Amino acid sequence: MARVRIKDVARHAGVSEKTVSNVINDYVHVSDRTRRVVQEAIDHLGYKVNLAGRHLRKGRTGIIALVVPELDVPYFAELARHVIREAEQRSLTVLIHQTGADRDHELAALAGFGSTFVDGVILSPLALTADDLRSRTDAPPTVLLGELLEEGADHVAIDNEKAAREATEHLIGLGRRTILAVGGRDDAGLGTAEARTRGYRAALAAAGLAFDPAALLPVPSFRMPDGAEAVARALDEGARPDALLCLNDQLALGALRTLYEYGMRVPEDVAVIGFDDVEGGRFSTPTLSTVAPDKAAVARIAIDLLRHRMDEAATPAPGDTSPAGVRSPQDLVVAHRLVLRESTEGAARRSRDPQDAERHANDGESGN
Amino acid sequence: MARVRIKDVARHAGVSEKTVSNVINDYVHVSDRTRRVVQEAIDHLGYKVNLAGRHLRKGRTGIIALVVPELDVPYFAELARHVIREAEQRSLTVLIHQTGADRDHELAALAGFGSTFVDGVILSPLALTADDLRSRTDAPPTVLLGELLEEGADHVAIDNEKAAREATEHLIGLGRRTILAVGGRDDAGLGTAEARTRGYRAALAAAGLAFDPAALLPVPSFRMPDGAEAVARALDEGARPDALLCLNDQLALGALRTLYEYGMRVPEDVAVIGFDDVEGGRFSTPTLSTVAPDKAAVARIAIDLLRHRMDEAATPAPGDTSPAGVRSPQDLVVAHRLVLRESTEGAARRSRDPQDAERHANDGESGN
DNA sequence: CAGCCAATGTACATCGATGTAAAAACGTGC
DNA sequence: GCACGTTTTTACATCGATGTACATTGGCTG
């Protein structure tokens, strides 16, 4: 039961502790015979590396933190899956933290959890301010996702403004004229919602459509209930939209439900489009058109950026205090594409896929 | 930039390293004046505890692992949220790991990730066998969720057999007679699916309905696409069910989509019920009846069980080798309840909620 | 076979925090 | 003012793995 240490393995194999360490770490200059003997001792005794010792010595843990507002928001869960996968390929372990959109939690994450056991942080901030970010000191290497708070940190996201503009133009192209932005908000500021709102307004302006501030439906959070409630409230107040630009798929799925309850057909009466391309939108009724970010790319790039910073941090700059060799903050844009499904295209377009068409013909037949 | 150590703080404050340590750890016998001086030095230098050192000395990390098959399965994401919350209240940090239902990954998790940096593991196994579990040696304290693989480990779950039986009885109570079990499988074995299948069969038997092996629709995984495909295949092969017992909500949501595409009305033609009560089922069209486990309770109990084991492990039993004082494996059952929504009850029942009723009347009017 | 280089292996110090044991400081009662 | 019991503080060893610097071995050249 007593824990097996390198010392025990060394004794058992009749070699020094360092040699055991060399075997474990795949050091080149170890003869095959020695390696074999040591390996047998390791297997025999059931030795496992003690991370505490290694960490203390190496100053690295191999653990990075992924910090998201809520794990049960599918977008973040799907993103987490990709991040974990990418990290694993680089022998990094991912510690997931959820902040509940709480500023204190996010600050703690920025500071490396008040201690020193994550080598880096991938943070999807919601409540942080640019000042928070700027005033952080000796924080671990950090990559921001989604919101670009300020220029001081590496950042990965899609071009939210352009994406929102394209989505809105798609709705306009369908002949829609009264388009509500669910989750939209005052477009000053650097957040994702603000950027998407800007794109929405840009598309309206380009099409010569008037912008009505009341068309922005603010929401407390980006989840289904909020989307459902916001749209219900707007309809109750007399709004008669012919399209909804929902700033994420959860809001859109909630909105679909409300439209159904109000007896409004999608997309005939109201076209709906979202952001994120979560799985739920591929199986909803109707299926949901959406802006699909390349999540795998977001994950991959975030990890790469982080690794670069981690390497920088590990190599004490030759000039010491001089910031030479430190790369300036990167701001990378990931591709997105419009995925058009029933909630804007209707059932007709689905005939592209023969199987779907067949099913749908069937559906049309008996679809009350 | 150089890291601040206790030594630096001690020098700055003019005391010994141990005194600084005492201050940090709220040791009682430190004079107020000393404490103040040390605290000032800490603040001044921006000292942060180095977990590596502490971990090495104390042998504990304060980190527990939550190991799930897939994070982007909403049930696990929602569960993770609760676990993280509960753990936080006990000053534990949660490391989430996803196994992709891969046996090797699950084994690695059981072994504490081949190293020693998690104090405990909460594992939701899918691919492990009882043998795997039995043969583990010096693994960290472990609590199993969902599947009871064998008696050797602590375990938390709902009474899956009973829950499935109740859900099936509900369907039978609606007058349904041809009930397919989506995700159902041969009911030998200890897995969740097996237990639910047993409950399904028990309910059929109790109602005097014949069991048709073809009514079990196996699925490769418990996700929406699998539910959609399994049901489509069954329908294509001529099955004409009047109800579906889906072994989780994801399968059910996928099934809803297929039924829609085949023009079958829910619940008029086919009633559908799932398990898990995920958010998506509260906003689907129709909304989804489901077996709702008390997820918060699962999380709370799992953490409590784990903490107990961790404490046991920390206190070297007085008798040393004797297993005295070690609690026998716990097998706890968490409450569940049937949540009935449109997919079995139809719209009528929803009239309990006036607002919903109104909306639905409206809906009936123009619902194509 | 001396001499040299490269390959291999070892002893020891070190990373940072904390437990142990004991010394120093302090206070109290006589 | 002294002995004694607390409280407060300190020096030092220790947790486990690994980097450094050096010792040893073996092979090969001339």
Side-chain angles (χ1 to χ4, degrees):
Chain A
M1 200 81 287
R3 186 149 273 119
V4 183
R5 292 148 301 164
I6 269 197
K7 185 192 293 185
D8 304 314
V9 176
R11 183 161 17 199
H12 190 91
V15 298
S16 75
E17 302 177 24
K18 188 69 218 295
T19 298
V20 176
S21 170
N22 284 338
V23 170
I24 295 168
N25 292 281
D26 283 325
Y27 182 66
V28 190
H29 297 306
V30 177
S31 68
D32 285 345
R33 198 170 51 78
T34 306
R35 192 181 299 276
R36 197 154 26 76
V37 172
V38 170
Q39 191 58 54
E40 272 165 18
I42 289 177
D43 295 342
H44 180 69
L45 298 175
Y47 170 77
K48 291 177 195 168
V49 175
N50 179 318
L51 269 209
R54 172 179 288 176
H55 175 195
L56 180 57
R57 191 65 243 242
K58 292 198 164 178
R60 281 188 169 212
T61 55
I63 299 177
I64 62 174
L66 172 65
V67 183
V68 296
E70 300 281 355
L71 250 187
D72 53 351
V73 170
Y75 174 72
F76 292 119
E78 293 182 15
L79 187 64
R81 185 166 61 91
H82 285 108
V83 168
I84 290 174
R85 187 150 305 171
E86 290 290 329
E88 189 173 59
Q89 289 176 7
R90 294 167 176 76
S91 305
L92 291 172
T93 299
V94 177
L95 180 80
I96 297 180
H97 224 78
Q98 80 186 341
T99 62
D102 178 63
R103 181 162 162 274
D104 289 339
H105 277 80
E106 292 186 353
L107 277 175
L110 258 191
F113 303 100
S115 58
T116 16
F117 79 113
V118 289
D119 294 344
V121 175
I122 298 178
L123 173 64
S124 186
L126 266 191
L128 284 183
T129 67
D131 276 344
D132 291 330
L133 197 59
R134 209 171 298 120
S135 65
R136 86 206 146 110
T137 58
D138 65 23
T142 303
V143 174
L144 295 181
L145 300 184
E147 317 235 346
L148 175 57
L149 289 169
E150 67 137 15
E151 302 293 334
D154 288 340
H155 175 252
V156 186
I158 63 171
D159 185 337
N160 279 299
E161 182 168 339
K162 177 154 166 265
R165 180 169 172 155
E166 289 168 6
T168 309
E169 283 168 349
H170 168 60
L171 296 173
I172 295 173
L174 296 172
R176 311 299 166 133
R177 291 296 175 267
T178 311
I179 306 172
L180 302 186
V182 182
R185 64 177 65 165
D186 187 14
D187 60 355
L190 294 161
T192 302
E194 286 84 350
R196 291 180 183 171
T197 304
R198 274 198 300 281
Y200 161 75
R201 294 192 58 170
L204 291 187
L209 296 174
F211 165 68
D212 175 4
L216 301 183
L217 309 186
V219 293
S221 76
F222 278 55
R223 310 181 64 138
M224 289 190 222
D226 304 290
E229 281 164 24
V231 173
R233 201 175 314 114
L235 293 177
D236 288 343
E237 288 171 359
R240 285 297 169 265
D242 54 15
L244 301 179
L245 176 76
C246 300
L247 297 202
N248 82 353
D249 281 356
Q250 301 307 107
L251 292 175
L253 291 170
L256 284 185
R257 176 68 201 173
T258 294
L259 292 172
Y260 169 76
E261 292 181 355
Y262 277 71
M264 309 184 83
R265 293 166 307 164
V266 177
E268 293 83 350
D269 301 326
V270 181
V272 176
I273 191 165
F275 283 77
D276 292 349
D277 189 26
V278 301
E279 189 175 56
R282 296 200 277 279
F283 290 89
S284 57
T285 306
T287 53
L288 184 64
S289 294
T290 190
V291 174
D294 186 343
K295 298 187 197 94
V298 170
R300 182 164 28 79
I301 293 174
I303 296 260
D304 283 344
L305 284 176
L306 190 57
R307 278 244 302 196
H308 191 98
R309 290 289 170 206
M310 283 161 51
D311 290 345
E312 274 178 8
T315 314
D320 200 61
T321 54
S322 83
V326 173
R327 188 163 66 169
S328 62
Q330 301 285 303
D331 188 4
L332 298 185
V333 173
V334 165
H336 66 266
R337 63 200 172 83
L338 244 53
V339 176
L340 303 181
R341 303 203 185 96
E342 295 168 1
S343 70
T344 61
E345 299 273 274
R349 290 288 197 100
R350 288 177 54 252
S351 61
R352 285 171 193 156
D353 178 341
Q355 192 187 10
D356 275 350
E358 181 192 330
R359 285 194 199 159
H360 197 269
N362 198 347
D363 166 45
E365 219 172 288
S366 53
N368 65 306
Chain B
M1 201 78 288
R3 188 148 271 119
V4 183
R5 294 148 302 167
I6 270 198
K7 186 192 292 185
D8 304 313
V9 176
R11 184 160 19 199
H12 190 89
V15 299
S16 75
E17 302 177 25
K18 187 68 219 299
T19 297
V20 175
S21 171
N22 285 337
V23 170
I24 295 168
N25 292 282
D26 284 325
Y27 181 65
V28 189
H29 296 306
V30 177
S31 67
D32 285 346
R33 198 170 51 80
T34 306
R35 191 181 299 276
R36 198 154 22 78
V37 171
V38 170
Q39 191 57 55
E40 272 166 19
I42 289 176
D43 295 343
H44 181 68
L45 298 174
Y47 170 77
K48 291 178 194 167
V49 173
N50 179 317
L51 270 209
R54 171 177 290 177
H55 175 195
L56 180 57
R57 191 64 241 242
K58 293 198 164 180
R60 279 188 171 214
T61 56
I63 300 177
I64 63 175
L66 172 66
V67 184
V68 297
E70 300 282 356
L71 250 186
D72 54 350
V73 171
Y75 173 73
F76 292 119
E78 294 182 14
L79 187 64
R81 185 166 61 90
H82 286 109
V83 169
I84 290 175
R85 189 149 305 170
E86 290 291 329
E88 189 173 58
Q89 290 176 6
R90 295 167 177 75
S91 305
L92 292 171
T93 300
V94 177
L95 179 80
I96 297 179
H97 223 77
Q98 80 186 339
T99 62
D102 179 62
R103 179 161 163 276
D104 291 338
H105 277 80
E106 292 185 353
L107 277 175
L110 257 191
F113 302 100
S115 58
T116 15
F117 78 113
V118 289
D119 294 341
V121 175
I122 297 178
L123 173 63
S124 185
L126 265 191
L128 284 182
T129 68
D131 276 343
D132 291 330
L133 197 59
R134 208 170 299 119
S135 66
R136 86 206 144 110
T137 58
D138 64 23
T142 303
V143 174
L144 296 181
L145 299 184
E147 317 237 346
L148 174 58
L149 290 170
E150 67 137 13
E151 302 293 334
D154 289 339
H155 175 251
V156 187
I158 63 171
D159 184 337
N160 278 300
E161 183 167 340
K162 177 155 167 264
R165 178 169 175 156
E166 289 168 5
T168 309
E169 283 168 351
H170 168 60
L171 296 173
I172 295 173
L174 295 172
R176 310 299 166 133
R177 291 296 175 269
T178 311
I179 306 172
L180 302 185
V182 183
R185 64 177 66 165
D186 189 15
D187 60 356
L190 294 161
T192 302
E194 286 83 352
R196 290 180 183 171
T197 304
R198 273 198 302 281
Y200 161 75
R201 293 191 59 169
L204 291 186
L209 295 174
F211 165 68
D212 176 3
L216 300 184
L217 308 186
V219 292
S221 75
F222 278 54
R223 310 182 63 138
M224 289 190 224
D226 305 291
E229 281 165 24
V231 173
R233 203 176 314 114
L235 294 177
D236 288 344
E237 289 170 359
R240 285 296 169 264
D242 54 16
L244 301 180
L245 175 76
C246 299
L247 297 203
N248 82 352
D249 282 355
Q250 301 306 108
L251 292 175
L253 291 171
L256 285 185
R257 177 68 202 175
T258 294
L259 292 172
Y260 169 76
E261 292 180 355
Y262 278 71
M264 310 184 83
R265 293 166 307 164
V266 177
E268 292 84 349
D269 300 328
V270 181
V272 176
I273 191 165
F275 282 77
D276 291 350
D277 189 28
V278 302
E279 189 176 58
R282 295 199 277 280
F283 290 88
S284 58
T285 306
T287 53
L288 184 64
S289 294
T290 192
V291 174
D294 186 344
K295 297 186 197 96
V298 171
R300 182 164 27 79
I301 293 174
I303 295 258
D304 284 342
L305 284 177
L306 190 58
R307 277 244 302 194
H308 191 97
R309 291 289 171 206
M310 283 162 50
D311 290 345
E312 274 178 6
T315 315
D320 201 60
T321 53
S322 82
V326 172
R327 188 165 66 171
S328 64
Q330 302 284 304
D331 189 2
L332 298 184
V333 173
V334 166
H336 67 266
R337 64 201 170 85
L338 244 53
V339 175
L340 304 180
R341 303 203 185 95
E342 294 168 3
S343 70
T344 62
E345 297 275 273
R349 288 292 196 98
R350 289 176 55 252
S351 61
R352 287 172 192 153
D353 176 346
Q355 192 187 12
D356 276 349
E358 181 193 328
R359 285 190 200 164
H360 196 268
N362 199 347
D363 164 49
E365 219 171 288
S366 55
N368 69 303

